[in-house]
Amino acid sequence: MPAGGFVVGDGHTAYPGKLTPYVLFTCVVAAMGGLIFGYDIGISGGVTSMPSFLRRFFPSVYRKQQEEATTNQYCQYDSVTLTLFTSSLYLAALISSLVASTVTRRFGRRLSMLFGGILFCAGALINGFAKHVWMLIVGRILLGFGIGFANQSVPLYLSEMAPYKYRGSLNIGFQLSITIGILVAEVLNYFFAKIKGGWGWRLSLGGAVVPALIITLGSLVLPDTPNSMIDRGLHDEAKTKLRRIRGVEDVSQEFDDLVAASKESQSIEDPWRNLLRRKYRPHLTMAIMIPFFQQLTGINVIMFYAPVLFNTIGFTTDASLMSAVVTGSVNVAATLVSIYGVDKWGRRFLFIEGGTQMLICQAVVAACIGAKFGVDGTPGELPKWYAIVVVTFICIYVAGFAWSWGPLGWLVPSEIFPLEIRSAAQSITVSVNMIFTFIIAQVFLMMLCHLKFGLFLFFAFFVVVMSIFIYIFLPETKGIPIEEMGQVWRSHWYWSRFVEDGEYGNAVEMGKSSNQGTKNV
């Protein structure tokens, strides 16, 4: 049988291979790297709504919380120190993601995952035993270092290991793990808040050790990706691994394309400077704009501070934590929808549908909160039916995010970068994500105090902008092998002026032309 893949009707090569139990297992284990990110998102808002935690570390916020309900509910959590506790992690993640780029490129994706797990574990222990605010912030910084390494390496690992037909579904396993981590954290917060003596927050914070150990131990048993092995000169091992991953003996064309891409990658002395070249303009634009817009959907406002937000709009502490559990459950369920549909319906459809859904819900929630709270933040008695309406539309909003911008914000950047800039570009994606996560986390409570219900309209405006951006500038990447992604830019009405024929992916094209076994069907 001649070597090679098939060129299908749309001009993309169909590499031979199938979804083997081995690659499914490795992708599931690797995707668990998202647990540490999700657990932290879920735990942060929960502990900052626990009176015992606030009384010990943030007494000024605790005093505001205990004042009569007639005071301005929009501003009761407005505290620079409290927001620093939450947002310091994301600044640390920004810094570590830049370091992780070099580690991932030179030593493989697995080592970055291992570093991420170890650092996150250390931060969880310090937070669990914290006695002073500075210990909390040091612990959060270590957690951030861990998240920076994991978020830089896991999406790349998944995109490189997965067969191209299933790349979307397997990569979204990372986002599914994030949502599971959020849900588990919110359930634990609900029960730990009930512990007599007020020390349940220690279990919530210290419990982060568990997802940290999962990714740490997982990284020790995972194989490295063939792309990474080839990049480090391990060609024989890479070909053997590629055969096992794809479940077929004939992997010649895919292997040759990976080697060709690696040679082009090795010719690049400085991938950071290379990112600025004209032919990588679409990649750099997506690496910046997609994570930028992902944070401006407003989702982290909901997930960071769901208990705080629900408490602010009139729920008791127990009810607010329970409402956060409900939104977390919706988050997980809707991510499963994305796993099912991303390789069937495509990335663009999910982006635009999710954006429309979020826009409608944000407008309704703003109207509901504005009508009840006005501009002075004094709601009086909040009827049960009214609270149910608010939670329902927040859940529909979360569902829209969870099958669109949530998973695709990680999937699309990780699959569009050619090997020569992949690690550096992924670090840009993580860095932008963390910069704006940091900014949103730092200013959210202050914005809630000043913009009031208009905060939801603020994010709704950006949802409109990002949906237009996707419609105009993002080509469909469904079903395209990762090493052939240059074709989508060459055929795009706008990006083709930057990525011209013969300029992008020369090494891969040369690898194809030298392969005599390619068939046309």
Side-chain angles (χ1 to χ4, degrees):
M1 178 179 177
F6 298 90
V7 178
V8 293
D10 59 2
H12 305 311
T13 299
Y15 295 128
K18 52 191 176 183
L19 182 60
T20 63
Y22 177 70
V23 77
L24 185 61
F25 169 78
T26 57
C27 286
V28 168
V29 173
M32 289 184 182
L35 288 174
I36 61 175
F37 191 26
Y39 186 89
D40 179 79
I41 291 172
I43 223 69
S44 300
V47 296
T48 52
S49 71
M50 294 182 186
S52 58
F53 178 81
L54 293 174
R55 184 170 58 245
R56 183 181 184 94
F57 295 106
F58 307 100
S60 63
V61 177
Y62 176 74
R63 285 192 296 271
K64 281 185 190 178
Q65 189 188 56
Q66 299 306 306
E67 289 176 2
E68 293 185 13
T70 54
T71 60
N72 190 333
Q73 298 295 293
Y74 290 124
C75 300
Q76 62 173 322
Y77 289 96
D78 186 17
S79 164
V80 174
T81 312
L82 180 60
T83 50
L84 181 62
F85 161 74
T86 301
S87 58
S88 57
L89 177 148
Y90 302 99
L91 197 58
L94 157 67
I95 296 169
S96 68
S97 68
L98 300 176
V99 177
S101 170
T102 302
V103 174
T104 301
R105 180 180 171 89
R106 293 186 179 178
F107 304 107
R109 285 57 168 145
R110 292 171 60 238
L111 194 61
S112 282
M113 293 185 215
L114 178 63
F115 285 168
I118 292 172
L119 289 166
F120 197 87
C121 188
L125 289 172
I126 291 175
N127 274 351
F129 291 104
K131 294 183 179 298
H132 307 284
V133 172
W134 69 264
M135 292 180 69
L136 286 177
I137 293 175
V138 168
R140 294 284 294 170
I141 290 172
L142 287 174
L143 294 176
F145 287 154
I147 286 173
F149 272 95
N151 285 14
Q152 201 278 342
S153 55
V154 171
L156 288 185
Y157 184 94
L158 294 171
S159 286
E160 291 179 349
M161 287 292 282
Y164 73 94
K165 292 180 181 178
Y166 307 100
R167 186 177 63 242
S169 297
L170 291 177
N171 190 289
I172 290 175
F174 176 68
Q175 177 68 17
L176 179 63
S177 288
I178 292 176
T179 63
I180 291 172
I182 293 171
L183 177 59
V184 168
E186 288 169 342
V187 170
L188 292 178
N189 278 337
Y190 179 73
F191 288 104
F192 290 158
K194 295 178 178 294
I195 293 177
K196 293 181 179 179
W199 51 273
W201 61 268
R202 291 194 182 276
L203 296 179
S204 291
L205 295 177
V209 168
V210 176
L213 290 176
I214 290 174
I215 185 59
T216 301
L217 297 176
S219 67
L220 296 175
V221 301
L222 289 173
D224 221 333
T225 67
N227 310 61
S228 179
M229 290 178 175
I230 292 170
D231 219 23
R232 290 177 286 137
L234 306 175
H235 286 210
D236 292 339
E237 295 92 330
K239 193 164 191 176
T240 301
K241 186 61 63 181
L242 189 60
R243 287 195 183 103
R244 187 176 182 190
I245 290 170
R246 299 295 178 248
V248 295
E249 285 299 311
D250 182 12
V251 294
S252 298
Q253 182 170 344
E254 184 174 5
F255 179 77
D256 290 345
D257 288 348
L258 292 176
V259 171
S262 178
K263 287 180 180 177
E264 186 168 336
S265 171
Q266 298 294 339
S267 69
I268 304 300
E269 294 183 5
D270 187 349
W272 295 99
R273 183 177 299 172
N274 199 49
L275 266 172
L276 300 177
R277 293 177 62 185
R278 178 181 173 84
K279 68 176 180 177
Y280 298 126
R281 196 71 50 80
H283 310 80
L284 185 60
T285 301
M286 295 302 164
I288 293 171
M289 298 308 295
I290 288 179
F292 166 73
F293 283 137
Q294 186 191 49
Q295 294 313 305
L296 286 172
T297 58
I299 188 63
N300 280 344
V301 170
I302 301 296
M303 290 307 176
F304 282 161
Y305 298 107
V308 171
L309 186 63
F310 288 131
N311 190 262
T312 295
I313 61 176
F315 290 63
T316 63
T317 301
D318 273 1
S320 66
L321 286 173
M322 195 64 235
S323 299
V325 170
V326 171
T327 58
S329 301
V330 170
N331 200 13
V332 173
T335 304
L336 292 173
V337 173
S338 186
I339 288 176
Y340 171 79
V342 67
D343 289 318
K344 291 181 173 64
W345 307 325
R347 281 65 160 155
R348 282 169 52 85
F349 170 79
L350 288 174
F351 266 130
I352 294 169
E353 190 285 330
T356 303
Q357 187 170 321
M358 287 189 291
L359 174 64
I360 294 169
C361 292
Q362 284 168 325
V364 172
V365 170
C368 288
I369 295 178
K372 189 63 181 174
F373 285 74
V375 294
D376 58 359
T378 53
E381 190 68 26
L382 191 68
K384 185 176 181 180
W385 68 266
Y386 205 91
I388 290 173
V389 169
V390 173
V391 172
T392 299
F393 275 94
I394 285 179
C395 286
I396 297 172
Y397 160 80
V398 169
F401 175 85
W403 60 50
S404 62
W405 280 91
L408 301 182
W410 295 106
L411 166 62
V412 172
S414 72
E415 69 182 358
I416 63 173
F417 304 136
L419 186 62
E420 64 267 21
I421 62 167
R422 192 169 295 157
S423 291
Q426 181 67 12
S427 286
I428 295 291
T429 297
V430 176
S431 297
V432 173
N433 189 293
M434 294 304 159
I435 286 171
F436 285 96
T437 305
F438 170 80
I439 292 171
I440 295 296
Q442 191 66 30
V443 304
F444 160 67
L445 292 174
M446 181 171 51
M447 289 174 71
L448 179 63
C449 183
H450 291 89
L451 293 181
K452 303 174 176 62
F453 62 88
L455 181 62
F456 291 92
L457 298 178
F458 171 83
F459 289 118
F461 167 77
F462 281 100
V463 170
V464 173
V465 174
M466 67 184 70
S467 297
I468 295 172
F469 174 83
I470 292 296
Y471 182 79
I472 295 175
F473 293 111
L474 182 69
E476 183 55 66
T477 57
K478 177 188 73 172
I480 300 173
I482 195 169
E483 300 305 337
E484 292 194 0
M485 202 60 72
Q487 296 182 33
V488 303
W489 308 114
R490 285 199 297 268
S491 60
H492 189 268
W493 72 272
Y494 179 76
W495 298 121
S496 58
R497 69 192 68 184
F498 299 98
V499 182
E500 299 174 358
D501 286 339
E503 184 182 28
Y504 180 104
N506 288 330
V508 175
E509 294 303 322
M510 289 170 61
K512 288 188 191 328
S513 64
S514 66
N515 193 315
Q516 301 299 315
T518 300
K519 298 180 180 180
N520 291 284
V521 294

